[in-house]
Amino acid sequence: MAKAVGLILAAGGVGRRFGGELPKQFEPLGMSSVLRLATNRLLARGDFARLAVTAPQGYESRTALELSALGRTFNVVTGGQTRWRSVANALDALGGVDVVVVHDAARPFVTRRVLDDCLAAVAVDGAAAAALPATDTVKLTDDAGLVERTLDRRRVWLVQTPQCFDYALLRDCYSRDEDWLAGATDDASLVEKLGRPVRLVTGHRQLFKLTSRDDLSYAEYLLAKGRVED
């Protein structure tokens, strides 16, 4: 029997580092917006039984309007002050599924191969995340910026999304108290905290996160030149 897959699209941030009058997920990208493009690519590459999207407080209606033309029903939930609070809200709204895919709306160029690999890995290991191996030398510093040591880059990976989880496992993580959840910057780190394995699957360079306006310009360039891979 095929497993039911739910999608959580993390779009609850306001993008303070990005600047602008609107949260960055509403910025135009190609013939669409960042949010709509990211969502449309996911829907075209995955079979999702249930859909939840987080929205910045005050932008719930705008988020629903952005996605209304895609022909699917989304549970739009208000994001929290932190990422983990936002995902917790979305997980509550998602309802019962077998597998949960969490993806950042600010990573608009998901590929079919990465999503498929992530879902295949979660079926074996219970948790999986897209990531790229580090290619630069990686150094660990103290608070003053002085180097403490150089890490073995062969064991360093830069984590992206999508991240995929067994639903019961992710629910277990988010059933913990706030002190336990505090500080989590992604969902895979919560699974790690439980002592459970997380499988890394090779991501893609086009899964970069739109953090600055330079990132948005680069995304526009890739679209204009037809260099976004399927």
Side-chain angles (χ1 to χ4, degrees):
M1 180 183 296
K3 291 190 173 183
V5 180
L7 171 65
I8 293 176
L9 193 67
V14 295
R16 291 185 178 87
R17 287 177 293 176
F18 190 87
E21 295 182 1
L22 291 173
K24 61 188 173 185
Q25 54 268 38
F26 303 125
E27 289 282 343
L29 180 56
M31 301 298 291
S32 185
S33 66
V34 171
L35 174 61
R36 202 176 324 135
L37 179 59
T39 309
N40 203 32
R41 284 184 65 89
L42 281 160
L43 295 180
R45 289 158 181 79
D47 183 12
F48 301 107
R50 295 173 183 265
L51 305 163
V53 56
T54 64
Q57 187 171 14
Y59 289 92
E60 295 87 352
S61 295
R62 173 67 182 266
T63 298
L65 181 62
E66 285 279 338
L67 301 179
S68 61
L70 299 182
R72 293 293 304 273
T73 300
F74 292 82
N75 283 313
V76 180
V77 299
T78 304
Q81 293 298 312
T82 61
R83 178 191 170 84
W84 70 260
R85 290 180 188 274
S86 295
V87 174
N89 293 345
L91 194 60
D92 287 340
L94 195 62
V97 290
D98 301 304
V99 174
V100 180
V101 176
V102 183
H103 186 65
D104 296 330
R107 301 181 192 269
F109 298 143
V110 70
T111 72
R112 192 178 305 274
R113 190 268 304 166
V114 172
L115 181 58
D116 287 348
D117 287 353
C118 197
L119 287 169
V122 79
V124 176
D125 297 296
L132 288 177
T135 56
D136 296 322
T137 298
V138 182
K139 296 186 182 294
L140 185 69
T141 69
D142 61 18
D143 292 340
L146 297 176
V147 173
E148 291 184 342
R149 61 190 174 97
T150 300
L151 304 180
D152 183 356
R153 71 180 179 193
R154 294 173 299 178
R155 300 182 62 188
V156 175
W157 290 70
L158 309 178
V159 177
Q160 305 172 317
T161 66
Q163 297 184 3
C164 304
F165 306 92
D166 176 83
Y167 175 80
L169 176 58
L170 196 59
R171 288 295 312 180
D172 188 9
C173 291
Y174 280 103
S175 70
R176 309 296 167 126
D177 61 38
E178 293 191 4
D179 288 340
W180 192 90
L181 291 162
T185 56
D186 76 339
D187 303 284
S189 64
L190 296 175
V191 176
E192 297 162 38
K193 198 169 181 178
L194 281 181
R196 299 286 295 274
V198 177
R199 175 69 60 187
L200 296 184
V201 301
T202 303
H204 198 290
R205 291 193 178 278
Q206 76 183 34
L207 276 166
F208 62 92
K209 190 174 184 179
L210 301 183
T211 303
S212 69
R213 293 207 166 264
D214 287 342
D215 297 327
L216 182 60
S217 295
Y218 181 53
E220 291 170 341
Y221 167 81
L222 292 178
L223 278 177
K225 295 297 183 180
R227 296 180 62 180
V228 178
E229 296 184 21
D230 181 62

